[in-house]
Amino acid sequence: METFPRIQAVVPLPGKRLLVTFTNNVRKIYDCLPLLDDKNFKSLLNDGLFKSVSADKHGYGISWSDEVDLSESELWLNGFLAEQ
């Protein structure tokens, strides 16, 4: 089973994007716009909820609520490197 770097921090950005910092100091931008077509992520249209994102204390993902979250592998594999 492949392992991925854990998440150190997450910051919401304009345009429903996230800046994710991993424990290996790589920073990636993850675009959440495509998720909004999925009924499970519709609640992220609410800016207040979107901005409340937080990293799991063990770094295995991020969450907005008990029902809406993303794994570190999703963010790592589908994020784009942020300019340093």
Side-chain angles (χ1 to χ4, degrees), residues 14-28:
K16 301 294 184 195
R17 296 175 304 139
L18 300 170
L19 174 61
V20 183
T21 304
F22 293 87
T23 53
N24 61 358
N25 292 320
V26 170
R27 295 178 348 139
K28 291 194 173 191

Side-chain angles (χ1 to χ4, degrees), residues 28-31 73-81:
K28 291 194 173 191
I29 303 285
Y30 184 86
D31 185 0
S73 60
E74 169 66 17
L75 298 163
W76 179 259
L77 293 172
N78 295 306
F80 298 92
L81 283 176

